[in-house]
Amino acid sequence: SRRQQNRYADTTLQYPDAKVAAALCKGGPIHYCVKANSGISEDWILEYVVPFIAGVYDRCVALVLGRALLWRVFHEEEVRVVPNDVVTRVKSAYRDLGARSSVPDGENPVDKVPLVVTGHDAQVHIDMLIDDDNNPAA
């Protein structure tokens, strides 16, 4: 049987949990932002970057993983750990975007933006670190 005090005795403290999660992120927590001028949509990521993940997992999960993988595909050094068939599929689809993408050649269409986790007690604030011009601080 449930008691009245059980209703108010929630042991989940979101801020400490978020701080621990942030501390466990190698290099700190980050968010992958697809550049607005890249021509890349969420549906494009699901179709070309993570089609198999999108078929199994929730759309939100697939998009988080898809943006991270997309960044890695276009990163000069990190691309080495991505299977060749994935790199070929993604880069071919990206080339097919043509004029819809105005990201300069050789530039990653995804920004890796640091996150700052702050808060107090039950309030959690996760903000992107941006520069004075509201651009991601990479």
Side-chain angles (χ1 to χ4, degrees):
S1 87
R2 297 201 77 192
R3 297 176 151 177
Q4 183 66 27
Q5 72 260 21
N6 291 345
R7 175 178 248 172
Y8 301 105
D10 185 6
T11 59
T12 302
L13 299 173
Q14 294 176 349
Y15 176 59
D17 291 348
K19 287 298 281 186
V20 170
L24 292 174
C25 294
K26 183 179 178 183
I30 51 100
H31 175 69
Y32 294 96
C33 296
V34 177
K35 294 179 181 173
N37 62 340
S38 69
I40 295 172
S41 67
E42 289 182 349
D43 289 336
W44 188 93
I45 291 171
L46 297 175
E47 183 176 348
Y48 297 107
V49 183
V50 288
F52 302 111
I53 292 173
V56 176
Y57 295 98
D58 183 69
R59 179 181 176 91
C60 254
V61 172
L63 286 169
V64 168
L65 298 173
R67 286 188 297 265
L69 179 57
L70 183 59
W71 176 84
R72 189 161 269 192
V73 164
F74 283 94
H75 189 272
E76 193 174 302
E77 295 171 17
E78 296 290 328
V79 70
R80 288 182 250 172
V81 299
V82 181
N84 287 334
D85 60 323
V86 173
V87 173
T88 301
R89 179 183 69 232
V90 171
K91 287 192 173 184
S92 174
Y94 186 69
R95 274 191 301 276
D96 290 345
L97 288 173
R100 288 178 282 173
S101 175
S102 60
V103 174
D105 286 342
E107 185 177 310
N108 200 319
V110 180
D111 282 324
K112 187 176 177 182
V113 183
L115 297 175
V116 178
V117 178
T118 59
H120 182 68
D121 292 330
Q123 295 293 320
V124 177
H125 303 281
I126 302 174
D127 300 300
M128 288 191 285
L129 196 58
I130 56 174
D131 64 17
D132 293 335
D133 297 323
N134 283 335
N135 295 317

